[in-house]
Amino acid sequence: SQTIHQWPATLVQPVGSPLSLECTVEGTSNPNLYWYRQAAGRGLQLLFYSVGIGQISSEVPQNLSASRPQDRQFILSSKKLLLSDSGFYLCASSGRKGQYFGPGTRLLVL
Amino acid sequence: KNQVEQSPQSLIILEGKNCTLQCNYTVSPFSNLRWYKQDTGRGPVSLTIMTFSENTKSNGRYTATLDADTKQSSLHITASQLSDSASYICVVWASSGGSYIPTFGRGTSLIVHP
């Protein structure tokens, strides 16, 4: 079955600092990959999705960017974090075998 | 605009009771509908997945229904347990040109009391 790894699990960063969250997928090839943010008390918001290496689509304008350097690697980045970037970030993979979510990264920007 | 509305927003029930969660959607072109359970601080876990032609699907004590004509789905939980306390999220997937795009409901927060 498919497994999604995310790290770190928790991150506390100062405002203005850079960010890099990594997601890797096992058990599938050529998946569609997704980054979501879940703010406290709110639903999941799709940030980016990717259908292949180097192919990134952004769903909402924001302070973040995404990259897919390898088939099963998806990276979420920011050059300068804002307070509003705090939240729970989930990576997900979708392919023929279904859709799976990673364990999430809790980001707190102070 | 694709939308998924869930109700109720929150629900409190006693252990052993049944409950039903609702999901209404306007998503096109429809590919499939999935219900997820999300424990606090964790990623969502898939409970059921239903395509256009499926009306009912069960997974243990969870039974999901889909009415593609009225664009409604429900998740029925039978004989609730304390461990059912979680957020239940309805996700409707649209398929377009080989891409699969999900639209998420805000979720129903379920609390099961002993």
Side-chain angles (χ1 to χ4, degrees), chain A residues 44, chain B residues 3-7 21-25 27 30 32-37 48 65-66 71-75 87-93 102-108:
Chain A
L44 282 159
Chain B
Q3 285 187 312
V4 176
E5 300 288 339
Q6 287 189 245
S7 61
L21 315 180
Q22 299 291 341
C23 173
N24 298 337
Y25 64 91
V27 173
F30 177 89
N32 61 79
L33 183 147
R34 310 179 193 218
W35 281 94
Y36 289 87
K37 178 186 178 187
T48 63
T65 65
L66 174 65
K71 298 187 178 180
Q72 295 179 324
S73 176
S74 66
L75 180 68
S87 179
Y88 291 83
I89 304 172
C90 175
V91 185
V92 183
W93 288 74
T103 302
F104 284 76
R106 287 182 170 268
T108 292

Side-chain angles (χ1 to χ4, degrees), chain A residues 14-20 63-65 77-82 85:
Chain A
V15 170
S17 64
L19 172 74
S20 180
N63 180 44
L64 303 167
S65 62
S77 305
S78 174
K79 292 183 179 178
K80 286 186 178 182
L81 282 169
L82 305 172
D85 291 326

